[in-house]
Short mmCIF file of all heavy atoms in Angstrom, two decimals:
data_model
loop_
_atom_site.label_atom_id
_atom_site.label_comp_id
_atom_site.label_asym_id
_atom_site.label_seq_id
_atom_site.Cartn_x
_atom_site.Cartn_y
_atom_site.Cartn_z
N THR A 77 99.30 126.26 119.38
CA THR A 77 98.41 126.75 118.55
C THR A 77 99.01 127.35 117.16
O THR A 77 98.31 127.87 116.33
CB THR A 77 97.55 127.95 119.19
OG1 THR A 77 98.52 128.79 119.72
CG2 THR A 77 96.72 127.44 120.38
N MET A 78 100.28 127.16 117.08
CA MET A 78 100.89 127.74 115.99
C MET A 78 100.65 126.98 114.70
O MET A 78 100.30 125.74 114.74
CB MET A 78 102.56 127.48 116.25
CG MET A 78 103.22 128.83 116.41
SD MET A 78 104.94 128.45 116.68
CE MET A 78 105.41 129.82 117.61
N SER A 79 100.86 127.59 113.51
CA SER A 79 100.75 126.76 112.23
C SER A 79 101.94 125.95 112.13
O SER A 79 102.87 126.12 112.78
CB SER A 79 100.66 127.77 111.02
OG SER A 79 101.94 128.32 110.86
N ARG A 80 101.91 124.94 111.25
CA ARG A 80 102.95 123.88 111.09
C ARG A 80 104.06 124.56 110.56
O ARG A 80 105.28 124.29 111.00
CB ARG A 80 102.43 122.82 110.13
CG ARG A 80 101.56 121.91 110.85
CD ARG A 80 100.92 121.02 109.84
NE ARG A 80 101.86 119.92 109.32
CZ ARG A 80 101.44 118.78 108.90
NH1 ARG A 80 100.21 118.42 109.02
NH2 ARG A 80 102.35 117.97 108.34
N ALA A 81 103.96 125.63 109.68
CA ALA A 81 105.16 126.31 109.04
C ALA A 81 105.81 127.08 110.27
O ALA A 81 107.02 127.09 110.32
CB ALA A 81 104.74 127.27 108.09
N ASP A 82 105.15 127.73 111.10
CA ASP A 82 105.73 128.48 112.18
C ASP A 82 106.39 127.51 113.17
O ASP A 82 107.47 127.93 113.67
CB ASP A 82 104.59 129.27 112.95
CG ASP A 82 104.09 130.47 112.16
OD1 ASP A 82 104.78 130.77 111.17
OD2 ASP A 82 103.06 130.99 112.53
N VAL A 83 105.85 126.29 113.48
CA VAL A 83 106.49 125.42 114.34
C VAL A 83 107.78 125.03 113.68
O VAL A 83 108.81 124.95 114.44
CB VAL A 83 105.64 124.10 114.54
CG1 VAL A 83 106.51 123.08 115.28
CG2 VAL A 83 104.46 124.61 115.43
N ARG A 84 107.76 124.80 112.32
CA ARG A 84 109.08 124.45 111.76
C ARG A 84 110.11 125.53 111.87
O ARG A 84 111.21 125.22 112.10
CB ARG A 84 108.78 124.22 110.21
CG ARG A 84 108.70 122.74 109.81
CD ARG A 84 108.51 122.64 108.33
NE ARG A 84 109.80 122.88 107.61
CZ ARG A 84 109.92 123.00 106.31
NH1 ARG A 84 108.95 123.06 105.55
NH2 ARG A 84 111.16 123.18 105.95
N ALA A 85 109.78 126.70 111.84
CA ALA A 85 110.63 127.84 111.96
C ALA A 85 111.22 127.88 113.40
O ALA A 85 112.28 128.15 113.69
CB ALA A 85 109.98 129.19 111.67
N MET A 86 110.28 127.64 114.41
CA MET A 86 110.63 127.62 115.79
C MET A 86 111.65 126.41 116.17
O MET A 86 112.31 126.48 117.10
CB MET A 86 109.35 127.43 116.70
CG MET A 86 108.61 128.79 116.98
SD MET A 86 109.63 130.02 117.68
CE MET A 86 109.60 129.42 119.42
N ARG A 87 111.79 125.44 115.24
CA ARG A 87 112.63 124.38 115.54
C ARG A 87 114.06 124.81 115.57
O ARG A 87 115.05 124.12 115.93
CB ARG A 87 112.51 123.18 114.51
CG ARG A 87 111.07 122.61 114.58
CD ARG A 87 111.09 121.11 114.01
NE ARG A 87 109.76 120.67 114.05
CZ ARG A 87 109.22 120.23 115.14
NH1 ARG A 87 109.79 120.23 116.34
NH2 ARG A 87 107.95 119.69 115.17
N ARG A 88 114.31 126.09 115.04
CA ARG A 88 115.61 126.67 115.13
C ARG A 88 116.09 126.77 116.70
O ARG A 88 117.24 126.84 117.05
CB ARG A 88 115.60 127.98 114.53
CG ARG A 88 116.82 128.46 113.80
CD ARG A 88 116.64 129.96 113.23
NE ARG A 88 116.61 130.86 114.25
CZ ARG A 88 117.65 131.11 115.17
NH1 ARG A 88 118.67 130.44 114.97
NH2 ARG A 88 117.56 132.13 116.01
N HIS A 89 114.99 126.93 117.53
CA HIS A 89 115.28 127.16 118.95
C HIS A 89 115.14 125.94 119.75
O HIS A 89 115.67 126.03 120.96
CB HIS A 89 114.30 128.26 119.51
CG HIS A 89 114.31 129.49 118.70
ND1 HIS A 89 115.28 130.48 118.87
CD2 HIS A 89 113.31 130.01 117.82
CE1 HIS A 89 114.96 131.49 118.06
NE2 HIS A 89 113.89 131.25 117.32
N MET A 90 114.55 124.96 119.23
CA MET A 90 114.41 123.72 119.99
C MET A 90 114.85 122.49 119.29
O MET A 90 114.43 122.20 118.12
CB MET A 90 112.98 123.49 120.54
CG MET A 90 111.90 123.55 119.39
SD MET A 90 110.31 123.41 120.02
CE MET A 90 109.31 123.19 118.50
N GLN A 91 115.70 121.69 119.84
CA GLN A 91 116.23 120.60 119.20
C GLN A 91 116.09 119.22 119.99
O GLN A 91 115.69 119.25 121.17
CB GLN A 91 117.75 120.80 118.85
CG GLN A 91 117.78 121.84 117.68
CD GLN A 91 117.45 121.28 116.38
OE1 GLN A 91 117.65 120.17 115.98
NE2 GLN A 91 116.68 122.05 115.61
#
Side-chain angles (χ1 to χ4, degrees):
Chain A
T77 51
M78 251 182 208
S79 74
R80 286 168 70 152
D82 288 345
V83 169
R84 264 186 70 195
M86 277 303 278
R87 295 203 183 285
R88 218 180 73 59
H89 304 286
M90 54 181 188
Q91 287 288 317

